Amino acid sequence: MKKIVLGILLCTMFLSGCSLNNSNNDNKLPDSKSTEVAAQSNDIPEPKASTQDSSDASKQNSTNGASNEKIKSSKDSIKNRTYTEQNISEKVKEYIINGQGDKAEASKIKWSKSFLNKADIVSLYKQYVAKGGNSQDLAKFAAYMTSNAPILNDWQQLFEKDLNDIYGEKVVRLEHLNKDLYQAYVKKNNKEVPYVVVSARTGYFHG
């Protein structure tokens, strides 16, 4: 009988010990390794914007800016190529005097500034357009004007002043060569010598 009671007591003590161990395990804090894993899982950084996406956006903005500049430049260029009766005198003078840099010297259209300033450019422009000329082709109009401008009544006086202002020479005689070209003579060592050939139409002269 005593053995039975002793056995029951031992079983009761054993079961109580197991229950206590299970309770302790449930309340036990996680070890450091488990804590580290949990921390890492909670510290995952938020995704950053892609560098490639930023670069693409920057390139797109740059391309859009360049396109806008190109469109603006194109519009400005078209505006500058619009020739009317109100601005043709200024535009063709600028072209003849400063706008032929890409041409060979022999093929450039040449005028004396004093003759160019006295030419009736607007009337010539109207005439050029009426005959079917391209109103926006400045080079062709300049060539037309050079061939068709009327010779000024005082062209000799204008030319003589130009020659004297530029070279300090005085014209003593003019000899007609052909069309609107004349040979101008000056005096050297008491002799008349040919000095330059001048166009009575444009006032341009050369030796």
Side-chain angles (χ1 to χ4, degrees):
M1 183 69 180
K2 290 181 180 179
K3 290 182 179 181
I4 293 173
V5 171
L6 183 62
I8 292 172
L9 289 174
L10 287 174
C11 287
T12 302
M13 289 176 63
F14 176 78
L15 291 173
S16 297
C18 289
S19 176
L20 181 61
N21 285 339
N22 287 337
S23 176
N24 288 340
N25 286 338
D26 289 343
N27 295 328
K28 187 177 180 181
L29 293 173
D31 60 22
S32 60
K33 185 174 293 186
S34 298
T35 303
E36 182 179 349
V37 170
Q40 288 177 353
S41 66
N42 291 332
D43 290 341
I44 296 174
E46 295 183 3
K48 295 182 179 179
S50 169
T51 303
Q52 181 65 36
D53 291 344
S54 299
S55 176
D56 291 344
S58 176
K59 287 180 180 178
Q60 182 65 33
N61 290 336
S62 176
T63 301
N64 289 341
S67 297
N68 290 337
E69 287 298 322
K70 187 174 182 180
I71 291 170
K72 182 178 179 182
S73 176
S74 177
K75 288 181 178 178
D76 289 343
S77 179
I78 291 172
K79 182 179 179 181
N80 290 336
R81 291 202 305 268
T82 301
Y83 308 118
T84 65
E85 292 177 13
Q86 286 69 40
N87 68 12
I88 191 60
S89 293
E90 175 190 349
K91 297 297 184 181
V92 80
K93 286 177 185 178
E94 177 65 23
Y95 172 77
I96 291 172
I97 295 170
N98 299 315
Q100 304 180 81
D102 57 340
K103 286 186 175 183
E105 193 65 27
S107 62
K108 287 184 178 180
I109 295 169
K110 298 174 182 178
W111 280 68
S112 156
K113 287 184 180 181
S114 57
F115 279 64
L116 193 56
N117 287 333
K118 294 195 72 172
D120 189 350
I121 296 173
V122 173
S123 293
L124 286 164
Y125 182 69
K126 290 179 180 179
Q127 184 183 102
Y128 164 75
V129 173
K131 290 184 176 181
N134 184 345
S135 63
Q136 300 307 304
D137 193 327
L138 196 61
K140 286 188 177 179
F141 169 61
Y144 175 87
M145 186 176 81
T146 301
S147 299
N148 295 278
I151 295 175
L152 300 171
N153 293 330
D154 59 346
W155 77 267
Q156 294 186 41
Q157 289 84 355
L158 287 174
F159 160 63
E160 289 174 6
K161 185 178 185 307
D162 279 350
L163 190 68
N164 187 258
D165 288 346
I166 296 171
Y167 293 115
E169 297 288 352
K170 184 177 179 181
V171 177
V172 294
R173 182 164 64 91
L174 287 168
E175 177 185 339
H176 184 245
L177 299 176
N178 60 69
K179 297 182 179 179
D180 61 345
L181 298 179
Y182 288 79
Q183 176 73 63
Y185 288 79
V186 299
K187 189 168 283 190
K188 296 285 186 182
N189 298 322
N190 293 322
K191 292 182 180 179
E192 290 183 359
V193 295
Y195 194 67
V196 293
V197 173
V198 60
S199 165
R201 194 179 308 279
T202 67
Y204 173 74
F205 56 85
H206 58 88

